[in-house]
C-alpha cells in the first residue's frame, strides 16, 4: 500500500477520500485554491498545498501545480476523485511519466471511452447493445433508408453537437428532410460541421448504470445497478440501488450485468468504473458511455453491498488482486442518495451561492452524510453547487424512503437556499414511491406539471 | 435604468456595448455561477449607455452591471 496519496479534488469527495486514507494509515495531501483555504477538505488531510487562484482552470485543473505538489510532498499516488482531472488521459500520462500512480484506469482505456464513436464501436464489437442508428455521419439518402429500417420516431443529431443543441426528434418520414436540413445548418453555425447522424429515439427512458471493479490481472466483478433516472439539466439529483424496475425484470437485469462485464473486459479495464445505459419502457437496454472513474453516487452501491469502493481503488492501484468474487456479492436491502444542492428548484434550479451559518446533518439507522461544507462557511460561485450527499439505507425500498423522509426533515442548512424541501417533495410523491418516472419527471415536478 | 445581476457569480462574456440598441429579452451579458452559464437579459427595449463591469469580474446578486435608456 502507498505511504502517502495526494487528493486532486475538493468538497465532499476530497473529504471522503481523506477519511478512507486516514482509516488505512495512509498519509494524505490536500490541494486547494485560494478560495478554499479554510475548506474542510484542507483540514482533514495531513498536509495541504495551495495550487492557485479560485477559478478551476488555474487551480484544481492546474496540472503543473498539482504534479509539483505531489513531488514536493513525496506523494506516490494521486486520487483524482470525480470530475476535474479524473477522466483526463493526458494527466494520467503525465503522472506516469513523473513516476506517480494515477488512481484510475490506463490512459488508453480513458481515451477509448472518451471518444463517443470509438466507445460505441467497441461496445458493439463486444456484443453490447447500442441504440440502433448510423453510429457516424450519413447522407440524406442513407438517413431516409436507415430511418425506414429502424422505425420512427428517430433522433437526428449534429455529429459535433452536445448538451441537446442540434438535436431533432422526427416522428414521421415526411418531416425527415426538413429536420436533417435544420440539424446540418445548426451544426454548421454552432460547431463548424454539418455532419449529422441518426438513431432510434427512445421515449420515456430510464437511466441505469452498472458499477464494475477490475484488477490488474483482468479479474472483474459487477456490483449491481444504480437507478439514476431523476435528473435536472442532465445532472442527477436522486439515485437508488438497486433499481426496482430492473429487479422486476430478470432478463434485463442479467443482460445489464453481462453487458457491463463484457465491455470492461473488452477495454482491459482496471479499477472502479461505471457503464451507463438507457433503458426503454419495454426493458431493452442500450449502452451510452463508460465513466472511467468513481461516480458521485457510488455510496448507494457501497450501502447495498458493504464494499468500500474507494478502498478497492487504492488497493487495485497499489497492485493488489481483487479478492471479491461475483458469487460472494449480494444485494442487501435498498439505498437512496439525495444530492443537496445550493440551488432554487422554484427558479429553474438556479444556483444560489451564499453563506452557511447552520449545518445540522441528520443521523440515525442507515443514515450517512458525505458533506464538503460546515458551519460557518462561505459557498462560493466558483464550484459545483453540490453541498452534501444524504445516503440512506433500509431493509427494503419503502423503509429506505421512510428513513430518507425523516432524515430530510431533520436536515438543516441555513440561511443558504437549498433543494432540501424539493427533495422531500420527491420522496413524498406517489409516482416516486411507485417507481413511475422517466428522465423528464423531475423537471415536470419542479414546474408544477405533475 | 440599471440592469442588475440576478445571481452571484462572475461575468463570463459581455455581449453588448455602449450605444447598442436592444430589444426586450436580448442578452446583455452572460454570468457564470457554480459551473452554469446564465444570460442577463434586457427587460425592455432601449439603448445601452454604459457597461459597469469587466469580463472575469465577480458580481453580487442585485449589483448593477449595465445602464440603459428606455426607448
Amino acid at each position: 500500500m502507498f505511504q502517502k496519496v495526494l487528493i486532486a479534488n475538493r468538497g465532499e469527495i476530497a473529504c471522503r477520500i481523506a477519511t478512507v486514507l486516514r482509516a488505512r494509515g495512509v498519509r494524505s495531501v490536500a490541494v486547494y485554491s485560494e478560495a478554499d483555504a479554510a475548506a474542510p477538505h484542507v483540514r482533514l488531510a495531513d498536509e495541504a498545498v495551495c495550487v492557485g487562484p479560485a477559478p478551476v482552470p488555474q487551480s484544481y485543473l492546474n496540472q503543473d501545480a498539482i504534479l509539483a505538489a505531489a513531488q514536493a510532498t513525496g506523494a506516490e499516488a494521486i486520487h483524482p476523485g470525480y470530475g476535474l482531472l479524473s477522466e483526463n488521459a493526458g494527466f494520467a500520462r503525465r503522472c506516469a511519466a513523473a513516476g506517480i500512480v494515477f488512481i484510475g484506469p490506463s490512459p488508453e482505456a480513458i481515451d477509448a471511452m472518451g471518444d463517443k464513436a470509438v466507445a460505441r464501436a467497441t461496445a458493439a464489437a463486444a456484443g453490447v447493445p447500442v441504440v440502433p442508428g448510423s453510429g457516424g455521419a450519413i447522407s440524406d439518402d442513407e438517413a431516409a433508408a436507415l430511418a425506414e429500417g429502424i422505425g420512427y420516431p428517430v433522433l437526428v443529431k449534429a455529429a459535433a453537437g452536445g448538451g441537446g443543441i442540434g438535436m431533432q426528434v422526427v416522428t414521421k418520414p415526411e418531416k425527415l428532410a426538413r429536420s436533417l436540413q435544420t440539424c446540418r445548418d445548426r451544426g454548421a453555425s454552432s460547431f463548424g460541421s454539418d455532419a449529422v447522424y441518426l438513431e432510434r429515439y427512445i421515449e420515456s427512458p430510464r437511466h441505469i448504470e452498472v458499477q464494475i471493479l477490475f484488477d490488474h490481472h483482468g479479474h472483474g466483478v459487477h456490483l449491481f445497478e444504480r437507478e439514476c433516472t431523476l435528473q435536472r439539466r442532465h445532472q442527477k439529483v436522486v439515485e437508488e440501488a438497486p433499481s426496482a424496475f430492473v429487479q422486476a425484470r430478470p432478463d434485463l437485469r442479467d443482460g445489464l450485468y453481462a453487458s457491463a462485464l463484457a465491455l470492461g473486459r473488452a477495454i482491459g479495464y482496471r479499477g472502479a468504473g461505471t457503464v451507463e445505459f438507457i433503458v426503454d419502457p419495454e426493458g431493452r437496454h442500450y449502452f451510452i458511455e463508460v465513466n472511467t472513474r468513481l461516480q458521485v453516487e457510488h455510496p448507494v452501491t457501497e450501502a447495498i453491498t458493504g464494499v468500500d469502493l474507494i478502498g478497492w481503488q487504492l488497493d487495485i492501484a497499489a497492485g493488489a488482486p481483487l479478492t471479491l468474487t461475483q458469487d460472494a456479492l449480494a444485494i442487501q436491502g435498498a439505498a437512496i442518495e439525495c444530492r443537496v444542492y445550493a440551488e432554487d428548484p422554484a427558479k429553474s434550479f438556479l444556483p444560489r451561492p451564499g453563506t452557511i451559518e447552520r449545518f445540522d446533518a441528520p443521523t440515525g439507522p442507515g443514515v450517512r452524510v458525505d458533506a464538503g461544507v460546515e458551519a460557518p462557511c462561505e459557498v462560493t460561485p466558483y464550484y459545483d453547487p453540490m453541498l452534501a450527499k444524504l445516503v440512506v439505507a433500509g431493509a427494503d425500498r419503502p423503509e429506505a424512503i421512510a428513513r430518507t423522509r425523516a432524515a430530510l426533515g431533520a436536515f438543516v442548512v441555513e440561511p443558504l437556499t437549498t433543494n432540501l424541501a424539493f427533495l422531500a417533495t420527491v420522496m413524498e410523491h406517489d409516482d416516486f414511491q411507485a417507481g413511475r418516472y422517466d428522465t423528464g419527471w423531475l423537471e415536470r415536478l419542479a414546474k408544477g406539471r405533475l | 435604468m440599471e440592469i442588475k445581476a440576478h445571481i452571484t457569480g462572475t461575468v463570463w462574456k459581455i455581449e453588448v456595448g455602449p450605444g447598442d440598441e436592444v430589444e426586450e429579452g436580448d442578452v446583455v451579458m452572460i454570468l457564470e455561477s457554480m459551473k452554469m452559464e446564465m444570460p442577463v437579459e434586457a427587460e425592455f427595449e432601449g439603448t445601452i449607455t454604459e457597461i459597469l463591469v469587466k469580463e472575469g469580474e465577480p458580481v453580487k446578486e442585485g449589483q448593477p452591471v449595465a445602464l440603459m435608456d428606455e426607448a
Side-chain angles (χ1 to χ4, degrees):
Chain A
M1 180 42 69
F2 307 113
Q3 302 292 310
K4 194 187 271 191
V5 173
L6 181 141
I7 305 161
N9 215 300
R10 64 178 303 283
E12 66 85 17
I13 194 64
C15 293
R16 169 83 205 292
I17 296 166
T19 307
V20 174
L21 290 170
R22 172 152 302 175
R24 294 176 160 239
V26 179
R27 289 184 64 80
S28 57
V29 181
V31 294
Y32 63 97
S33 71
E34 287 164 11
D36 275 345
H41 81 271
V42 176
R43 265 178 293 113
L44 270 173
D46 296 307
E47 294 170 62
V49 181
C50 182
V51 287
V56 169
Q58 295 167 52
S59 50
Y60 295 105
L61 290 178
N62 184 341
Q63 300 186 23
D64 291 336
I66 290 168
L67 283 166
Q71 282 166 330
T73 55
E76 306 143 85
I78 295 181
H79 195 309
Y82 50 69
L84 298 175
L85 294 167
S86 62
E87 291 178 286
N88 188 316
F91 182 66
R93 286 195 178 91
R94 287 191 65 183
C95 287
I100 294 165
V101 175
F102 175 82
I103 300 176
S106 67
E108 293 73 29
I110 298 174
D111 269 340
M113 293 300 107
D115 182 314
K116 271 191 189 296
V118 173
R120 181 188 159 98
T122 308
V128 174
V130 295
V131 179
S134 65
I138 46 169
S139 70
D140 286 8
D141 288 344
E142 287 167 341
L146 184 64
E148 212 51 59
I150 60 183
Y152 287 85
V154 295
L155 192 65
V156 179
K157 286 186 189 175
I165 300 165
M167 260 200 246
Q168 297 253 316
V169 179
V170 188
T171 51
K172 27 185 167 181
E174 306 86 272
K175 294 190 172 170
L176 182 64
R178 169 177 279 234
S179 290
L180 285 166
Q181 197 52 52
T182 306
C183 266
R184 289 193 194 283
D185 292 348
R186 199 66 193 286
S189 65
S190 298
F191 311 109
S193 161
D194 70 354
V196 296
Y197 63 98
L198 181 145
E199 65 186 32
R200 178 183 290 161
Y201 175 62
I202 312 283
E203 289 176 271
S204 290
R206 280 173 182 263
H207 181 116
I208 306 284
E209 59 188 30
V210 177
Q211 177 72 50
I212 55 171
L213 207 47
F214 277 78
D215 67 13
H216 284 270
H217 313 286
H219 169 56
V221 296
H222 71 77
L223 292 105
F224 313 103
E225 78 282 2
R226 291 185 288 261
E227 164 76 67
C228 304
T229 298
L230 295 184
Q231 312 184 354
R232 55 115 181 86
R233 283 197 309 265
H234 303 287
Q235 258 197 326
K236 298 161 191 167
V237 178
V238 176
E239 300 101 336
E240 296 182 54
S243 161
F245 184 88
V246 171
Q247 293 300 319
R249 293 164 178 77
D251 288 351
L252 167 62
R253 180 192 66 200
D254 296 345
L256 283 166
Y257 300 161
S259 290
L261 287 173
L263 194 56
R265 274 186 219 107
I267 57 175
Y269 201 79
R270 184 184 73 215
T274 293
V275 189
E276 296 197 333
F277 299 94
I278 191 167
V279 175
D280 72 14
E282 285 74 49
R284 286 175 297 222
H285 72 286
Y286 306 99
F287 167 76
I288 316 176
E289 63 177 355
V290 179
N291 293 127
T292 54
R293 55 168 165 85
L294 194 69
Q295 295 279 85
V296 174
E297 60 273 21
H298 73 275
V300 290
T301 297
E302 296 183 326
I304 63 155
T305 58
V307 171
D308 175 359
L309 287 168
I310 294 179
W312 274 112
Q313 283 190 299
L314 293 168
D315 286 341
I316 290 169
L322 180 66
T323 53
L324 293 174
T325 58
Q326 200 65 63
D327 291 346
L329 289 164
I331 297 173
Q332 303 143 15
I336 299 171
E337 171 180 282
C338 293
R339 300 192 190 189
V340 182
Y341 284 113
E343 67 182 17
D344 191 349
K347 291 186 180 164
S348 318
F349 301 98
L350 207 63
R352 285 276 177 232
T355 309
I356 295 179
E357 283 162 17
R358 195 171 153 208
F359 186 85
D360 296 343
T363 54
V367 175
R368 162 178 166 184
V369 176
D370 286 10
V373 295
E374 62 193 352
C377 85
E378 194 66 35
V379 179
T380 67
Y382 300 108
Y383 312 111
D384 188 276
M386 195 177 78
L387 305 171
K389 305 184 301 204
L390 170 67
V391 184
V392 181
D396 53 21
R397 189 170 185 267
E399 186 175 69
I401 294 174
R403 285 177 169 178
T404 303
R405 290 173 68 171
L408 285 168
F411 210 145
V412 181
V413 184
E414 290 175 344
L416 194 74
T417 303
T418 70
N419 65 339
L420 277 168
F422 179 71
L423 290 167
T425 306
V426 172
M427 291 300 131
E428 283 153 21
H429 203 284
D430 291 343
D431 286 351
F432 177 76
Q433 294 185 4
R436 273 192 312 264
Y437 46 73
D438 59 30
T439 50
W441 186 85
L442 204 67
E443 291 192 359
R444 293 198 296 276
L445 177 68
K447 285 177 184 156
R449 290 190 191 150
L450 288 175
Chain B
M1 292 289 287
E2 291 176 340
I3 302 175
K4 291 176 178 166
H6 57 309
I7 189 165
T8 298
T10 43
V11 180
W12 182 62
K13 203 164 173 229
I14 296 172
E15 300 276 17
V16 298
D20 285 358
E21 289 179 12
V22 292
E23 309 252 333
E24 181 188 339
D26 278 0
V27 175
V28 173
M29 63 184 67
I30 300 170
L31 304 182
E32 187 185 9
S33 184
M34 298 180 142
K35 299 197 334 193
M36 233 184 109
E37 287 154 20
M38 275 148 305
V40 177
E41 295 170 358
E43 283 172 26
F44 40 80
E45 190 185 337
T47 309
I48 300 290
T49 54
E50 196 179 345
I51 300 291
L52 303 170
V53 292
K54 287 198 273 298
E55 289 184 359
E57 187 177 321
V59 291
K60 289 249 182 240
E61 184 178 341
Q63 177 183 335
V65 291
L67 300 178
M68 66 181 286
D69 283 335
E70 195 168 354

